[in-house]
Amino acid sequence: MDLLKDNPRKLFWKFLVPAVSAAIAVAAYSFVDTIVIGQDAGPNGTAACAVVLPIFSIAHFLALLCGVGGSVLMSKARGEGNREKGDAYYTASMLYVGIITLLLWILGVVFQIPLYRLFGADDVLLPYAYDYGKWIFGAFPSFVLVSFLGCFIRTDGSPKFVMTVTLIGGVINVIGDIVLVFPLGMGMAGAAIATVAGSVVQSILLIGYILVGKTSLKLAKPFKWLTAVKKISILGFGAGLPQIAMTVVTYIINNQIMKYSGAAALAVYGLLCTIAALFLSVFEGIGHAAQPIVSANFGAGQRDRYHIIAKIGMRTAVVFGVISFALCALFPSEIIKLFMKVTPEVAEIAPYIIRVYTTSFFPMAINMFVTAYLQSVTKATSATVVSLLRGLILSSILLYVLPLFMESNGIWWAVTIAEALAAVVAVFCMMPELKSKKVKER
């Protein structure tokens, strides 16, 4: 495919289907884990999933920070006709992600218990969290590598391979969950081992694909190392920020829930985290589909072509956002039964919580696409502002303020209101792109 000449709409769909499919497969890890854990261990197991969730968020943050930042710069350099410069950005990103991952891996393994305590685990939940989390921490680099390499291989022109690899990992995870948790009775540890197995297989396949020469990715001596790292960080920070913000917000929500409601509400939030991660991955997939096309045409100065993608991507995000909210709002009771053994307390509070919380999915879809697009046209400041508002600043403030007036209900409304306010800012940032005159899609 030629990113600079082929029909933009057709290019977008060629990237969209594999990107969204791959995103769903990645999210399926925690999705299937939460289901089998909830059915096996009940609400305590599901609540423990909410405690361990930040491990996945941190891994994904590192991957997007270095992967999106590096791949956008690589694609832009190629669009300018400078392939050697693109290879240098790829190499710099590899070194950057390797160093940071190693440091955080060591710290995470050493300080596991304090981390679980920090994210709301009490004496009852701690054993569940540790049984699951110790395996995830053990394979932490693999979770980083899968998303990181996926960014570059997708941008290099092999989105279908990334999709295939992630689907393979998802199948391994599902089979492992079913076998290890139920027949073998390994509980939380079994679910974690299945997740790790799927991720490790993905890593091996992605590395092998590069090593056997199936891509045009090549290592080159980075020039101006610190400058390259700075550019990668600035562009990638907006993409990874939702993940690190999710870690901070999870800390606040978990502790606020335990303060105002208790373990039953935390169990509901645990399944909501899994559902939100699924749809967040889909929304990210829309952005990932647009990024290679936009960044390449931006580098080549073909403004009309990447403005077409702005409009197509925004419409797609709106449709996916509405569908995701509708599915959750219409079937809250069925969702609860799917994820866990339902206690009377959970059955009473869950439908309201699910309907309020998932209202945030519509503005979230808009925010995620706008962030990805702005990164692709190197408007890193605007992308970071949107990410900070939706994922950290507004959420953190509202999570502390609203419960003072609305008690536990304020926790669920805080997320929705934060996303909606950030979406207003996001649309404002996108108006120049969306108002561009209609051009022929060549």
Side-chain angles (χ1 to χ4, degrees):
M1 64 183 75
D2 191 330
L3 299 182
L4 302 179
K5 295 181 180 180
D6 291 350
N7 182 287
R9 182 182 296 276
K10 292 180 179 179
L11 281 172
F12 178 75
W13 283 101
K14 284 181 180 179
F15 277 95
L16 179 67
V17 174
V20 171
S21 299
I24 291 174
V26 171
Y29 282 0
S30 57
F31 197 83
V32 176
D33 282 353
T34 305
I35 292 174
V36 298
I37 287 169
Q39 295 296 338
D40 180 69
N44 284 337
T46 307
C49 288
V51 173
V52 178
L53 178 66
I55 304 175
F56 294 102
S57 298
I58 293 170
H60 205 35
F61 165 73
L62 295 181
L64 294 178
L65 173 71
C66 302
V68 170
S71 63
V72 166
L73 289 168
M74 181 188 75
S75 183
K76 181 174 179 289
R78 289 182 174 184
E80 294 168 344
N82 194 337
R83 182 166 289 272
E84 182 180 354
K85 185 178 180 181
D87 293 339
Y89 277 125
Y90 165 62
T91 307
S93 300
M94 288 282 287
L95 295 172
Y96 187 23
V97 77
I99 292 169
I100 301 177
T101 299
L102 180 61
L103 291 174
L104 289 184
W105 187 24
I106 295 171
L107 289 173
V109 171
V110 173
F111 297 104
Q112 278 188 73
I113 301 300
L115 185 64
Y116 301 143
R117 291 287 191 186
L118 179 68
F119 285 99
D122 56 16
D123 291 338
V124 175
L125 297 181
L126 185 60
Y128 292 90
Y130 181 74
D131 280 349
Y132 186 79
K134 65 183 179 183
W135 293 97
I136 304 303
F137 263 123
F140 182 76
S142 177
F143 291 101
V144 177
L145 197 61
V146 167
S147 294
F148 172 79
L149 291 179
C151 290
F152 279 96
I153 294 175
R154 190 183 300 111
T155 299
D156 187 63
S158 299
K160 289 184 179 179
F161 180 76
V162 177
M163 176 189 70
T164 301
V165 168
T166 48
L167 289 174
I168 290 171
V171 170
I172 291 173
N173 185 41
V174 170
I175 294 174
D177 275 328
I178 295 172
V179 173
L180 297 178
V181 175
F182 295 117
L184 298 182
M186 295 179 67
M188 302 288 290
I193 292 171
T195 299
V196 167
S199 179
V200 169
V201 170
Q202 282 188 80
S203 299
I204 294 172
L205 291 174
L206 291 172
I207 293 171
Y209 193 72
I210 295 174
L211 292 179
V212 299
K214 294 293 185 179
T215 72
S216 62
L217 298 171
K218 295 180 180 179
L219 296 177
K221 183 179 180 180
F223 49 91
K224 297 182 179 179
W225 160 255
L226 292 179
T227 302
V229 167
K230 181 180 178 181
K231 289 182 178 180
I232 291 167
S233 299
I234 291 173
L235 281 177
F237 186 71
L241 183 60
Q243 300 299 324
I244 204 66
M246 185 182 295
T247 303
V248 176
V249 170
T250 298
Y251 160 75
I252 297 172
I253 290 181
N254 285 3
N255 286 280
Q256 288 290 80
I257 289 173
M258 294 301 285
K259 177 180 178 181
Y260 286 97
S261 295
L266 186 60
V268 177
Y269 177 64
L271 70 87
L272 277 173
C273 284
T274 302
I275 295 171
L278 171 65
F279 288 116
L280 182 66
S281 295
V282 172
F283 304 151
E284 283 182 344
I286 299 171
H288 289 163
Q291 276 182 328
I293 310 167
V294 173
S295 57
N297 284 277
F298 176 74
Q302 300 197 57
R303 180 183 177 88
D304 290 344
R305 287 175 60 82
Y306 63 81
H307 275 202
I308 290 171
I309 301 300
K311 296 175 182 179
I312 297 172
M314 181 65 86
R315 290 197 293 265
T316 304
V318 169
V319 171
F320 273 79
V322 171
I323 292 173
S324 61
F325 162 67
L327 289 174
C328 297
L330 291 173
F331 306 105
S333 297
E334 288 77 8
I335 290 173
I336 303 164
K337 293 175 183 177
L338 173 66
F339 275 92
M340 70 177 78
K341 297 175 181 176
V342 181
T343 64
E345 187 177 4
V346 169
E348 180 181 356
I349 64 175
Y352 174 81
I353 293 174
I354 291 174
R355 288 192 173 106
V356 172
Y357 187 92
T358 57
T359 305
S360 66
F361 290 171
F362 171 63
M364 182 191 297
I366 295 173
N367 292 331
M368 296 305 296
F369 174 74
V370 170
T371 299
Y373 183 88
L374 293 175
Q375 289 157 356
S376 300
V377 294
T378 65
K379 293 183 179 179
T381 301
S382 297
T384 301
V385 167
V386 174
S387 291
L388 280 172
L389 284 175
R390 65 161 291 272
L392 191 61
I393 297 174
L394 293 174
S395 297
S396 298
I397 293 172
L398 292 172
L399 281 168
Y400 281 117
V401 173
L402 291 186
L404 297 176
F405 304 97
M406 302 171 66
E407 295 188 338
S408 61
N409 288 343
I411 297 172
W412 316 116
W413 279 108
V415 177
T416 294
I417 294 173
E419 290 284 359
L421 293 175
V424 174
V425 177
V427 171
F428 177 79
C429 292
M430 279 291 287
M431 287 308 294
E433 316 295 318
L434 299 175
K435 282 186 175 181
S436 62
K437 61 183 180 179
K438 185 172 179 60
V439 294
K440 183 179 180 180
E441 297 179 17
R442 54 188 183 278

